Amino acid sequence: MPCLDVADTGARMGLKGPRASDWLAAQGVAPPARANTWSRSPAGRADVLIARLGASEFFLEAPDDAALAALAAGLAAEPAGVYPVLREDRAFRLSGPGVHDVLAQVCNVDFAGLDLEARPVIMTLMIGVAVIAVPDGRPEARQYRFWCDPTFGPSLGETLGAIIVECGGTITGESR
Amino acid sequence: MYRLEPQAREWIDRSTVLRFSFEGAPCEGYAGDTLSSALAASHPYLARSFKYHRPRGVLSCANQDSNALFQVDGIPNVRGDVTLLRQGMHVTAVNTFGGLARDRARVLDRFARFLPVGFYYKAFHSKRWFPRWERMFRAITGLGAVTLSAERRTTPKRYGFCDVLVIGGGPSGLAAALAAAEAGARVTVVDEAHRLGGTSALNDAERQALDSLVRDVQASARIAVLSATAAVGCYADRWVALAEPRRLTKMRARAVVFATGVIEQPAVFRNNDLPGVLLASGAWRLAERYGIAPGRHLVMVAANMEAYAVCRDLAARGVNIAAIVDLRAASEAGPGAAGAGAAGAGADEAGCASLGIPILKGFAPYEAFAGADGRVCALAVAPIDDVGRGGAAAESLRRIECDAVLMSVGFAAAGQLLLQAGAGSEFSAGLQQFVPLDLPAGLLAAGRVNGVYEFGARLADGRRAGAQAAAHAGFGAGSAASIERSTRRPSHPFPVFAHPAGKNFVDFDEDLQVKDLENAAQEGFDSSELLKRYSTVGMGPSQGKHSHMNALRILARVRRVPVEELGLTTFRPMYHPVPLKLLAGRGFNVERRTPLDARHGALGAVWMSAGNWRRAEYYAVEGETREQSIEAEVEAVRTKVGLIDVSTLGKIELYGPQAGAFLDRVYAGSYASLQVGMTRYGLMLDESGVIIDDGVIARLGAERFYFTTTTGGSATVFRELSRLNALWGLDCALVNVTGHRAAFNFAGPASREILQSLADVDLGEASFPYLAAREGSIAGVRTRVLRVGFVGELGYEIHVPASAAARVWQALSEAGRPHALRPFGVEAQRVLRLEKGHLIVGQDTDGLTDPFEAGARWAVSMKKPFFVGQRSLKILESRGPRQKLTGIEVLDATRAPKECHLVIDRGAIAGRVTSVARSRTLGKTIGLAMLAPPLAEPGREIRIRAEGGEMLAARVVAVPFYDPGNLRQRAGRAA
């Protein structure tokens, strides 16, 4: 059965600008080379997810603030051509059998047809709410991590939750 | 009709009896029966027609006609041909007054001659009488009834994806699906029936081939089957709407194969609508699938080989065929006929003859007769030439006793979806049907819709189309095979027979007779589009599936032109009527909530919608009315301190060396020269100089700006700024932090003192003057503070990350408690800003308001080299304003107009009220109004037309109403 995890864990930050990619690399965090893809890179003692949103914007998520502290401090120094993007996103995770049936009710992206090896980042609308979605997991057991503007979070969570329950699934975690 | 002995391939399970009621009487059927089949087996007729309330029975059994619409368990217009019978159903006919058997409206059939085509245009045009006619029409027209107590069922929509979508599960569709799957494509097959196979395998060899195809399709891992599903609309980019019983699937396919087949067409003769007169394919479906014989002595009206094949099939099931009335003088197997079709036709005809079935060649139906039960009891036929001349002499008539009349006189291509998808069509005189032409890339047609009729050829055509579809989707090499259309003629060119007494129906939905269409054409409605709209042919629930082709033939004959010269009407979605619940789906109502939503609820917030945001209108306090609470909130801000959540404001950050230059272009004021640490009001215009948004722009650094927009404009403004940024290519970057930052307005005489206790920023007047902006910490949270004056008091707009909002709000609330801090909502804010005369874009301005009209000339810097709207403003400035936004006060303290009430001057509209509110602070009702310039002079009296036409007197006054010197917001001093 599909599962919606609403545990809004993790720390996030964003940056953009003509020199953002180079700056990240200079900080020892290797950004993905292609637009709309993701990678993982060590930062401190943690793995950081780096999603490249288009050509020159990046979204980062780490297990906690500590992993991003050094990057945040570097941004605060206002390096040229690199601009901070405040990320207070609400996060969710969808998984389990039937996850694509749920996604098919809320989004017109063919998630089942995605090539996981290409590490795609999908920027789309889910029930009219702009979301960033990253698929991961094994091909036969896909999971989808996605983020949205926090002011849409309650509505999106409630709607997804209702659909999950209708599909016989479960909701786990508690929101922050 | 009656049940046959169990048939080898029937779809019903006779071991499971289902009980239901029809028109209040108990009935029975079997599991696997549809509503139509269960009722057909036991009832003489199932429905009443729309206009004349004539009794009607099964016609197609294929979900193509409106005879089989029922009210089921409170749900209207359930399509009986494709709805499976369930235990306990309560079924009634639609469109009756007093029940199916005793329908009081059946008397209308006797007055048919007073209800000719277009009669309503000529009879109900009296303005005086029309309200009465309208009530009558509303009472007697329409099908089905909405029952609010019916069970509410969830009908979610979903998206679907496939490489190749095959519409139609008959032989060519199945062959196409297999070919596409073999090439590697993901295939989805849809068919309206509950099982695959279609309705045209009429001999054992064809049945075996079909069974094999069905097994292969069901076993294929690459093929998904959606049965009981109708493709109801084709849209751009191969986007197809699929209506399932309880949901709509929006299917996106890379290629689509239309194997939609054909729709059997009725013959047109007097009383061709009697129960017991049905299409041959309908009779075959009843017998093959549900074990129901159409009658015990039937007559077949024939014009093709299919008629003979159905006769042989029914005869083999034990049904007596009283006669075959063949419109053709010579059969297809006659001299000159060629091909496999002709050979097959010959075999079927010979087979019928060998069974002793009388075959009348060159004869046509003239009139059907009804028995006491309303069903057909006899058919009069005559030589076709006699009938075709408009009347048959009595001596040439032959009466054949029967209890069923089957019609197999031709087909129309079911090409509506193809045409919706952008395909063209051309009329094939040989086939007497329209065939597809010029298909857009990725769209294929196969089978009978493509003019391919022979069974083997249909399979080949399906394989061709499937391979080509797969190739278009990127799989396989396609197919070089070409289309082989049939050389025989399966459709009679004019199966329409006149009768002096009429009632020879062309359109069963609308009860339209031949003379109706002839009269419409003679009245000048003589194109296919005009004929449709004047006569309503094709506008009923079956949308012309059984009437369009014959209507075109009749019109062509009246105009003496070939059918192809008339062309088809435009086919638009939906192919079938679709229940609104499927189109509505789940109904997502997305709402934005600020980070403090729960806290506001705990404080007693009374909610309102502001765009797609949920906001606190005011905070309810026990013992206070709504008005009292709002007035108390206003008073708190004016005398002590208030706190409002303004997180809904748009918030945008702008970085980069050319950030200032960018703002100078997009706003009417000057910002490149704005000092770091200061703010300035911003007015955004469009190219025509119209105000589209406003906000406050703060400069936080040399290359760092932070600005707000209106709540409703944030998304639009950010999109437009992003577009302009891409267009101009300036060295700057935009970041939309609207939802990622919360904001509060903390205002009132005590605000500075309270805030200072929490902030590490010096809020003194010298350090933090009016319109300044600072970054610092409040309650330990990194914050941006703007000193602005929207509500006209000493106040601060505090912007924090969303995750810290609750902490800062709590700190402000606790620090403010000794000062009787009160949270205030949107309504109090409206009153406060109105007392200062501050406009709200979109309320006090409209789609034409420029800065001169709004009194905002001060916010425009015309000396800049360029800004959006500048050129238009130069023109507007030279013309002078059409209207002016001014302050007003209502002279009668006990009366108040509403927003949008008009200002009347000498009998003409001279303006409107844009904002109005009762101000307890000022002791009067004040407002803003757009007025014609001559009226907009302070001291001038105006008259406002209020509710019920009452005229209220008001006076134009200067703004601001409250603290005209702006001392309170600038220095926190009493006015």
Side-chain angles (χ1 to χ4, degrees), chain A residues 2 8 11 14 20 24 27 33 44 47 78 81 109 113 131 135 139 141 145 158 163 173:
Chain A
D8 196 6
L24 272 176
Q27 311 310 307
D47 248 3
E78 299 186 12
V109 171
V131 300
R145 183 101 167 117
E158 287 163 9
I163 297 173

Side-chain angles (χ1 to χ4, degrees), chain B residues 167 190 245 290 384 417 692 714 725 784:
Chain B
I167 303 175
V190 299
Y290 309 108
I384 190 169
L417 291 171
I692 57 174
S714 63
N725 197 20
R784 291 170 184 166

Side-chain angles (χ1 to χ4, degrees), chain B residues 561-880:
Chain B
V561 299
V563 167
E564 52 267 39
E565 193 170 307
L566 295 175
L568 296 166
T569 56
T570 303
F571 293 113
R572 301 182 178 88
M574 301 284 170
Y575 176 69
H576 285 318
V578 174
L580 286 173
K581 64 186 179 187
L582 294 188
L583 301 176
R586 196 179 285 278
F588 297 121
N589 295 306
V590 175
E591 188 179 60
R592 294 184 83 166
R593 299 177 200 167
T594 76
L596 295 164
D597 187 84
R599 193 165 294 259
H600 295 318
L603 288 171
V606 174
W607 299 109
M608 62 174 282
S609 291
N612 62 350
W613 289 91
R614 181 160 89 162
R615 298 195 69 181
E617 183 188 7
Y618 67 97
Y619 296 85
V621 174
E622 196 171 335
E624 289 181 355
T625 65
R626 173 180 180 274
E627 288 66 33
Q628 288 170 339
S629 291
I630 294 169
E631 286 180 352
E633 289 173 12
V634 170
E635 185 181 357
V637 175
R638 289 279 180 248
T639 61
K640 302 182 188 67
V641 65
L643 179 61
I644 182 172
D645 182 358
V646 294
S647 300
T648 62
L649 289 174
K651 304 169 212 66
I652 301 173
E653 295 169 349
L654 180 63
Y655 299 92
Q658 291 185 297
F662 180 82
L663 288 173
D664 269 2
R665 292 191 187 193
V666 300
Y667 281 96
S670 288
Y671 306 95
S673 59
L674 182 63
Q675 286 181 47
V676 175
M678 295 302 292
T679 70
R680 188 169 288 160
Y681 178 69
L683 205 59
M684 187 177 289
L685 314 177
D686 67 12
E687 293 285 358
S688 61
V690 169
I691 297 171
I692 57 174
D693 205 80
D694 70 351
V696 173
I697 296 160
R699 189 165 200 164
L700 304 178
E703 297 181 0
R704 200 156 61 91
F705 290 83
Y706 178 66
F707 56 101
T708 62
T709 76
T710 61
T711 291
S714 63
T716 308
V717 168
F718 183 74
R719 190 182 310 128
E720 177 63 4
L721 294 183
S722 300
R723 183 187 75 85
L724 291 172
N725 197 20
L727 188 68
W728 294 331
L730 296 180
D731 190 357
C732 59
L734 292 154
V735 180
N736 187 352
V737 292
T738 297
H740 298 267
R741 283 194 176 271
F744 322 126
N745 193 354
F746 190 60
S751 58
R752 177 185 287 155
E753 177 189 346
I754 299 167
L755 190 59
Q756 188 67 82
S757 70
L758 300 171
D760 66 354
V761 177
D762 183 359
L763 302 180
E765 190 60 35
S767 304
F768 201 153
Y770 180 59
L771 298 182
R774 298 287 183 266
E775 290 181 289
S777 290
I778 294 178
V781 174
R782 195 81 187 136
T783 310
R784 291 170 184 166
V785 184
L786 315 180
R787 199 176 145 191
V788 295
F790 189 54
V791 297
E793 296 294 336
L794 175 66
Y796 303 86
E797 211 171 84
I798 301 164
H799 294 244
V800 301
S803 56
R807 181 171 156 190
V808 176
W809 177 281
Q810 182 67 19
L812 289 168
S813 298
E814 286 175 0
R817 193 169 293 123
H819 300 267
L821 176 144
R822 187 150 177 164
F824 66 102
V826 173
E827 282 306 310
Q829 187 186 50
R830 282 188 199 274
V831 175
L832 290 162
R833 67 92 199 177
L834 182 58
E835 289 173 346
K836 292 300 296 179
H838 291 152
L839 64 84
I840 292 178
V841 173
Q843 174 163 341
D844 302 301
T845 69
D846 59 28
L848 294 175
T849 308
D850 60 58
F852 310 122
E853 295 174 342
R857 175 64 178 86
W858 57 269
V860 178
S861 177
M862 293 293 275
K863 292 179 190 172
K864 292 190 295 183
F866 165 78
F867 61 89
V868 176
Q870 182 185 43
R871 188 165 178 271
S872 296
L873 285 191
K874 289 179 180 171
I875 299 169
L876 290 168
E877 193 168 31
S878 68
R879 288 184 192 167

